Amino acid sequence: MHLEIITPDKKIYSGEITSVSVPGALGRFQILKNHAPIISSLLSGKVKVEDSEGSKEFDVKGGVVENLKNNVIILAE
């Protein structure tokens, strides 16, 4: 599964992941491989990424996440 995290200033992450957990508007949720297509707004919180190197966390102040065909894009503030 591929993830890109993009802010207004730059792309802060791009790579293959096993899972991502995000602070959705209705609560935290996780996206795994073959997750159903989804678009959700994000609240302020941490985006937690699991990849081959371990786990990483990114702080966001809001934004949008989209998952379609194992391609996840987060537009973050």
Side-chain angles (χ1 to χ4, degrees):
M1 183 165 67
H2 187 77
L3 170 68
E4 289 187 358
I5 302 175
I6 302 168
T7 68
D9 299 327
K10 63 182 176 178
K11 186 183 298 187
I12 60 172
Y13 184 89
S14 179
E16 293 300 312
I17 63 165
T18 55
S19 71
V20 60
S21 176
V22 296
L26 297 177
R28 176 164 288 281
F29 67 94
Q30 185 176 40
I31 298 174
L32 300 169
K33 187 174 182 180
N34 297 322
H35 193 286
I38 188 170
I39 296 175
S40 176
S41 57
L42 300 177
L43 299 178
S44 182
K46 293 193 181 295
V47 172
K48 297 178 183 179
V49 177
E50 294 287 334
D51 62 16
S52 61
E53 298 174 4
S55 64
K56 298 172 177 59
E57 289 188 354
F58 302 93
D59 290 319
V60 297
K61 296 179 183 171
V64 176
V65 61
E66 176 190 35
N67 175 56
L68 182 62
K69 297 181 181 177
N70 292 318
N71 189 32
V72 182
I73 298 173
I74 296 175
L75 302 175
E77 295 177 32

